[in-house]
Amino acid sequence: MSASAARRALIVVENLPVPLDRRVWLEATTLAAAGYEVSVICPTGRGWDLHREVIEGIHIYRYPEPPEAHSGAAAYAKEYLHSLYHWFRLAREVRRERGFDVIQGCNPPDLIFLLALWYRPRGVRYLFDHHDVCPELFEAKFGKRGLLYRVMRIWERMTFACATVSIATNESFREIAIRRGGMAAEDVFVVRSAPKIEKFEIRPADPAMRKGAGTVMGYVGVIGQQEGMDLLVAAADHLIRKIGYADVHFLIVGFGPELPNVEADVARRGLGAHFTFTGPLYGEDLLRALNSCDIGVSPDPKNAMNDISTMNKVMEYMTLEKPVVQFDLKEGRASAGEASLYARANEPEDFASKIAALIDDPEARARMGRIGRARVMERLSWAHSAPRLLAAYDRIFARIGR
């Protein structure tokens, strides 16, 4: 504790406010518990609208939420320039009021290295927290590469070049840091995004959320262009109308730019009675919703990004002993193992058949649920990730001044 008492970290995140970003919040509170002085720069939004706030000892500096880019270089420039301005503005405030020795940049976008470069001559070092593979994210979002894809590859390479230490969410990301980013293996630490078990208690279902259905499928997460919600709706249509499983309900928890389109698709197919869209839920409300489900669904399609990404929702389903249905993704299998059934890539009909198989076999559901929770308890919970985060910080502080 005494060795960490004077250590100061500034965490910068652009795409979600804190503490809503669960990974960043776990990182920040873990560092604070270890004696670090932690400051966070993030946007406002989703009800977190105070520009200055201290929560659990974490000093949070928020700036106006940037406009999210959906297409075109001009839209991206507007979003990123907005954020860059506020990063530099607020970093000056943090530096003056609290100080920092390390900047932890949480992508996307891969531009926080610019802030780190500005402070590097002042002895500050950069720790890159690799949340998303941004070039692949762009390709998944827009279905093409082109100039912006190539620019993102350059930004990614510069990010790794500026980082003294990098933390990866899984082994696939670690491989990218070493192979594509040119980082030394000993400077890359795997810190998995994982639930804090104490926050995910198994409780009885809430009948009001089940809507009287025999089987409830649950989804929690972002509702965007690359999350595969169109495939989930198509799978539900096939399950209900073609296979004949009418006594089912889909409980959709989350927010995102595609939500109106997904709701319209459900209405067009005449499936409104089988879907509930709760919007974003947090804390006790989220726990009540997830505990009311029988099967967790993760319809993220197979593509270059999703295949190597760890899905937080899968980890949360497993923590609450829910069996999972997902498409056959490399890191999806690495996370869930035998706690999940895997549909053929991007085939909603096969996704529906996997759901039907679990509906018909309650014993298999219970067994898979137990396997999933055991995997989390034994090796995938935040209790296993926290020491690796602290080891990464020990590594970067050992290299400050060199």
Side-chain angles (χ1 to χ4, degrees), residues 23 105 126-131 159-160 163-169 173-174 176-178 183-191 388 392-393 395-396 399:
R23 175 182 172 88
Y126 188 42
L127 186 150
F128 177 42
D129 187 1
H130 197 186
H131 288 197
T159 291
F160 283 118
T164 302
V165 168
S166 176
I167 57 178
T169 58
F173 278 37
R174 183 175 188 269
I176 286 174
I178 297 169
M183 295 201 73
E186 60 269 23
D187 292 330
V188 185
F189 294 76
V190 175
V191 180
R388 298 170 187 167
Y393 265 86
R395 176 70 173 174
I396 198 168
R399 297 187 61 185

Side-chain angles (χ1 to χ4, degrees), residues 169-173 192 298-315 317-318 323-343 368 371-372 375-376 379-380:
T169 58
N170 56 43
E171 292 293 341
S172 295
F173 278 37
R192 295 182 64 91
S298 182
D300 302 83
K302 187 177 182 69
N303 55 41
M305 180 190 76
N306 290 340
D307 200 40
I308 59 173
S309 298
T310 298
M311 305 301 173
N312 290 339
K313 53 183 169 284
V314 171
M315 304 300 300
Y317 303 152
M318 291 164 59
V324 182
V325 174
Q326 58 183 314
F327 291 115
D328 195 356
L329 308 178
K330 176 185 175 181
E331 285 296 333
R333 279 190 180 270
S335 295
E338 294 181 3
S340 177
L341 294 184
Y342 303 91
M368 291 167 63
I371 290 172
R375 287 175 68 85
V376 173
R379 55 179 171 147
L380 298 177

Side-chain angles (χ1 to χ4, degrees), residues 100-320:
F100 50 85
D101 308 297
V102 169
I103 293 175
Q104 175 181 327
C106 309
N107 79 330
D110 285 339
L111 284 175
I112 304 173
F113 76 89
L114 293 172
L115 183 67
L117 277 178
W118 177 255
Y119 283 99
R120 189 175 183 86
R122 298 157 177 83
V124 175
R125 293 296 175 259
Y126 188 42
L127 186 150
F128 177 42
D129 187 1
H130 197 186
H131 288 197
D132 290 309
V133 278
C134 283
E136 286 83 355
L137 173 60
F138 177 88
E139 184 180 3
K141 195 170 185 178
F142 301 113
K144 62 180 181 180
R145 293 192 173 186
L147 176 61
L148 282 177
Y149 174 88
R150 293 191 292 275
V151 168
M152 288 185 177
R153 284 294 297 265
I154 294 170
W155 289 350
E156 178 189 75
R157 185 65 186 89
M158 294 178 72
T159 291
F160 283 118
C162 291
T164 302
V165 168
S166 176
I167 57 178
T169 58
N170 56 43
E171 292 293 341
S172 295
F173 278 37
R174 183 175 188 269
E175 181 183 346
I176 286 174
I178 297 169
R179 174 179 51 83
R180 208 158 79 189
M183 295 201 73
E186 60 269 23
D187 292 330
V188 185
F189 294 76
V190 175
V191 180
R192 295 182 64 91
S193 293
K196 198 170 185 179
I197 293 173
E198 308 89 272
K199 301 287 187 180
F200 279 78
E201 296 180 356
I202 299 174
R203 300 176 183 175
D206 181 350
M209 289 198 138
R210 292 183 61 85
K211 305 291 185 182
T215 308
V216 177
M217 273 57 70
Y219 173 91
V220 59
V222 176
I223 303 175
Q225 291 172 290
Q226 63 273 3
E227 275 73 32
M229 292 303 292
D230 56 333
L231 298 174
L232 179 62
V233 175
D237 195 7
H238 188 78
L239 178 72
I240 295 164
R241 300 195 185 284
K242 300 294 176 64
I243 309 180
Y245 288 78
D247 190 18
V248 298
H249 199 79
F250 289 79
L251 183 61
I252 310 299
V253 180
F255 57 85
E258 284 297 297
L259 178 57
N261 293 333
V262 176
E263 290 176 320
D265 190 16
V266 167
R268 181 180 60 79
R269 294 173 183 266
L271 298 175
H274 296 278
F275 275 79
T276 296
F277 295 90
T278 68
L281 297 178
Y282 313 111
E284 290 295 313
D285 291 333
L286 174 61
L287 195 57
R288 186 170 67 255
L290 288 177
N291 272 303
S292 299
C293 301
D294 302 297
I295 299 168
V297 292
S298 182
D300 302 83
K302 187 177 182 69
N303 55 41
M305 180 190 76
N306 290 340
D307 200 40
I308 59 173
S309 298
T310 298
M311 305 301 173
N312 290 339
K313 53 183 169 284
V314 171
M315 304 300 300
E316 293 169 356
Y317 303 152
M318 291 164 59
T319 305
L320 294 176

Side-chain angles (χ1 to χ4, degrees), residues 41-107:
I41 293 174
C42 66
T44 58
R46 316 300 180 187
W48 300 98
D49 298 323
L50 291 178
H51 285 245
R52 293 288 297 274
E53 191 169 11
V54 180
I55 305 175
E56 297 183 32
I58 312 301
H59 289 248
I60 304 172
Y61 297 70
R62 299 193 185 99
Y63 59 90
E65 183 178 15
E68 183 178 358
H70 295 294
S71 64
Y76 273 95
K78 184 177 181 180
E79 176 184 347
Y80 294 165
L81 287 172
H82 172 95
S83 296
L84 275 166
Y85 167 76
H86 289 289
W87 295 342
F88 277 86
R89 176 181 65 83
L90 291 174
R92 285 195 300 272
E93 291 187 24
V94 178
R95 186 75 165 172
R96 182 177 64 250
E97 296 172 8
R98 294 175 49 76
F100 50 85
D101 308 297
V102 169
I103 293 175
Q104 175 181 327
C106 309
N107 79 330

Side-chain angles (χ1 to χ4, degrees), residues 11-22:
I11 302 176
V12 181
V13 57
E14 192 256 14
N15 63 337
L16 279 177
V18 170
L20 179 57
D21 189 313
R22 294 195 290 276

